[in-house]
C-alpha cells in the first residue's frame, strides 16, 4: 500500500529560494508541533525561531558546522528545537523528552509539506555553544537545528553541494526493523 503523499513528498533540500516564509505559514508549523502527543502531555519541546534579517538568525547560523553553513545560508528561516529533559520542579529526567520533541518536529514537517515548504534538519552544529549563547537553563538540551523555506535553485550553490539533491534517497527494508517473532540485530 502506498503511504500518504504528505510523508512521501518530504525530502531535505540544500537549496532554498530567497522567498521569505509568510508569518502565517511559519506560525502554522509551530501550531502543528503544538498538537504532537507527548508522555504525560508534558510537551517538553521548545523552539528558537529565527527569520533571516532578525537578530537571532546570525546567532543560530554561527553555531552551524561549516559543512552545513555552505548550504544553510540559503534558508530564510533557521530554528532550533530543544527538549526539556527535566520537568519543572522535578529531579527525575523525562526519558521521553527527546522522543516527544522529535514527534513535535515530525508534525512540523508534515505541516511544512502541506504548505509547500521544505525543511532540512541538522545535527551538525555546536550544541554546547548553543546552550551558552542562548543561556539555556541546564534542564534543556538542544536537539536539531532546522532550516525552513521554499525550494530554491541548486545551481546557485557549489556543484558538489548542489549534487546532493540528486542523490538517490534510500531506506532500510522493513525486514530490518520490524519484527513479529523475535528481535534481530
Ligand atoms: C537529527 C537530524 C540531524 C541531521 N543532521 C544533518 C546535518 O548536520 N547536515 C545535513 O546536511 N543533513 C542532516 N540531516 C538530514 C539527513 O541527512 C536526512 O534527513 C537523511 O539523509 C534522509 O534524507 P531525507 O530527509 O531527504 O529523507 C539530519 C537529519 C536529522 C533528522
Amino acid at each position: 500500500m502506498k503511504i500518504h503523499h504528505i510523508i512521501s513528498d518530504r525530502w531535505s533540500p540544500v537549496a532554498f529560494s530567497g522567498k521569505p516564509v509568510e508569518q502565517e505559514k511559519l506560525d502554522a508549523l509551530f501550531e502543528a508541533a503544538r498538537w504532537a502527543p507527548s508522555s504525560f502531555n508534558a510537551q517538553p519541546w521548545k523552539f528558537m525561531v529565527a527569520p533571516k534579517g532578525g537578530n537571532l538568525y546570525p546567532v543560530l547560523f554561527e553555531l552551524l558546522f561549516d559543512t552545513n553553513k555552505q548550504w544553510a545560508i540559503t534558508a530564510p528561516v533557521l530554528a532550533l528545537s530543544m527538549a526539556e529533559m527535566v520537568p519543572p520542579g522535578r529531579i527525575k529526567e523525562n526519558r521521553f523528552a527527546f522522543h516527544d520533541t522529535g514527534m513535535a518536529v515530525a508534525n512540523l514537517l508534515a505541516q511544512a509539506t502541506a504548505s509547500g515548504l521544505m525543511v532540512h534538519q541538522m545535527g551538525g552544529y555546536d550544541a554546547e555553544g548553543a546552550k551558552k549563547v542562548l543561556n539555556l537553563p541546564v534542564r534543556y538540551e538542544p536537539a536539531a537545528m532546522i532550516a525552513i523555506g521554499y525550494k530554491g535553485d541548486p545551481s546557485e550553490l557549489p556543484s558538489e553541494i548542489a549534487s546532493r539533491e540528486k542523490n538517490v534517497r534510500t531506506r532500510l527494508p522493513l525486514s530490518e526493523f520490524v519484527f513479529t517473532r523475535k528481535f534481530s540485530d
Side-chain angles (χ1 to χ4, degrees), residues 56-69:
L56 185 61
Y57 190 96
V59 175
L60 295 191
F61 185 78
E62 274 315 310
L63 292 167
L64 297 177
F65 291 171
D66 287 345
T67 44
N68 286 326
K69 277 183 177 164

Side-chain angles (χ1 to χ4, degrees), residues 10-12 68 71 120-124 144 164 169 171:
R10 185 212 60 81
W11 57 282
S12 303
N68 286 326
W71 58 264
H120 191 149
Q121 297 175 75
M122 292 163 275
R164 287 177 53 183
R169 294 173 62 241
R171 290 299 191 268

